[in-house]
Amino acid sequence: MLRVDANGTHHIYQFIDRPFVPYFWWYIVIGVVWMVEFANAIQQLVVAGTVAEWYFTRDKKSLSCILCKATSRTVLYHLGSAAFGSFLITLVRIPRYILMKVNQKIKDGSNECAKFMLKCCICCLYCLEKCLRYINRNAYIVIAISSTNFCVARVKAFHTLLSNVLRVLAINTVGDFVLFLGKVLVMATNVIIAFFMFDRHNAGASYGNKNLFFLPMLGIAIFSYLIAHCFLSSFEMLVDTLLLCFCEDVKQNDGTEEKPYYMSKHLMKFVANSSTAINKQKKVNVDEVDGVTESEKQVLAAGDDSSVAPEHVHLTENRS
């Protein structure tokens, strides 16, 4: 490059393209993905810590500024767990992005077998990422409850979910459906308001001009859904935290005067009713099995004690 200064002196500069410079793009991409996942992990830890402290405090009126306390605990003690959990997600997400880029490059190719195998790998990595996200979210909840390290929390969360699989499936199914309805409701409300606003300002417009409303309203619908998803994801974390707090409460306490439950009366009643329904369903499923003796049916119907609420939940509610 030639440069002439004010004195008329000519300066020639030559730029040398270093071979390692293109690899800095990968450094930036990995850093951005890792930081996004790290921020998401911090948010989940703060929400889980706030809910766990509220749940395991008997005198709820004595609570003050629990959100600030949960944030300080996360920053002081749990940043390593958040960084490690987010790094695991990054290790799966980056290869999936690479395979998706390769899939775009070879989509016009003639090797159908290679394209099929590539799509299968992308699908497997996507499923693995979803599983890791789910386990990480529950591990963060266990960390907020017990203050254990990340690896121990993952194992403990997995065992807790496995021993309460019926209740987890029921709550996750109903909860996801309710949250989806909430997102749709927010999106539909914003779209309807936007339509009336556009229609009011263009009352005298022709029918063809009113068709131009479609694109801005589509953008409003998309952004409304995304914003609602960001806010309602906190409620999803709240529901999952309450579920694991309940499981830990039932595991550590028995409802007696020496070890009373932390759960409220309404939660006791709800769990007792749901446990009764689960027991009835298990008995119906066991009765449908052929070639099983009565003693074996009783064992199968009893199942894992940790997956149902104790029978004295009703007694605890009546005494209080």
Side-chain angles (χ1 to χ4, degrees), residues 7-116:
N7 298 326
T9 305
H10 294 75
H11 301 274
I12 299 177
Y13 298 92
Q14 182 181 3
F15 292 97
I16 300 176
D17 189 11
R18 302 293 182 182
F20 58 84
V21 172
Y23 294 100
F24 275 101
W25 286 105
W26 289 109
Y27 176 79
I28 294 173
V29 171
I30 294 174
V32 169
V33 173
W34 193 359
M35 291 305 298
V36 170
E37 296 297 333
F38 180 74
N40 188 28
I42 293 295
Q43 179 255 340
Q44 292 177 347
L45 279 169
V46 171
V47 173
T50 304
V51 177
E53 183 175 356
W54 173 85
Y55 185 94
F56 289 105
T57 301
R58 299 193 184 277
D59 186 10
K60 300 295 191 294
K61 296 181 180 180
S62 63
L63 293 173
S64 62
C65 199
I66 57 177
L67 181 60
C68 296
K69 293 179 182 178
T71 304
S72 62
R73 282 196 303 268
T74 301
V75 173
L76 293 176
Y77 304 111
H78 304 316
L79 287 182
S81 298
F84 185 59
S86 58
F87 181 69
L88 293 178
I89 301 296
T90 306
L91 287 180
V92 178
R93 197 172 182 181
I94 293 298
R96 184 168 67 88
Y97 287 162
I98 295 174
L99 293 181
M100 291 172 63
K101 188 67 176 179
V102 173
N103 186 37
Q104 292 180 353
K105 295 290 185 181
I106 66 171
K107 64 180 181 179
D108 296 330
S110 58
N111 194 339
E112 298 295 334
C113 181
K115 292 191 288 185
F116 176 76

Side-chain angles (χ1 to χ4, degrees), residues 120-257:
C120 290
C121 292
I122 294 174
C123 181
C124 291
L125 288 176
Y126 177 80
C127 295
L128 179 60
E129 180 183 343
K130 289 296 183 181
C131 293
L132 287 177
R133 286 184 184 277
Y134 183 75
I135 296 176
N136 281 2
R137 186 169 71 243
N138 290 278
Y140 295 146
I141 297 173
V142 174
I143 291 173
I145 296 173
S146 307
S147 295
T148 58
N149 61 70
F150 182 77
C151 296
V152 175
R154 284 173 65 96
V155 176
K156 189 175 181 180
F158 180 78
H159 288 165
T160 303
L161 295 174
L162 191 63
S163 60
N164 297 272
V165 60
L166 294 178
R167 184 173 292 112
V168 171
L169 290 176
I171 293 180
N172 284 345
T173 302
V174 176
D176 291 343
F177 179 71
V178 173
L179 290 176
F180 175 74
L181 289 181
K183 298 172 187 177
V184 173
L185 178 62
V186 172
M187 180 186 66
T189 303
N190 289 329
V191 169
I192 292 173
I193 294 175
F195 175 79
F196 282 109
M197 290 179 63
F198 289 152
D199 186 68
R200 179 182 178 183
H201 289 284
N202 297 272
S206 60
Y207 180 78
N209 292 332
K210 288 188 176 182
N211 288 335
L212 298 177
F213 296 171
F214 175 76
L215 289 179
M217 289 178 62
L218 179 62
I220 291 172
I222 294 175
F223 282 103
S224 298
Y225 185 86
L226 293 177
I227 294 174
H229 173 75
C230 294
F231 280 94
L232 291 179
S233 61
S234 299
F235 289 95
E236 183 179 4
M237 189 68 185
L238 186 147
V239 173
D240 293 339
T241 305
L242 284 177
L243 175 61
L244 287 185
C245 287
F246 162 78
C247 296
E248 191 68 18
D249 189 12
V250 172
K251 182 179 179 181
Q252 294 181 358
N253 303 304
D254 54 8
T256 59
E257 295 182 358

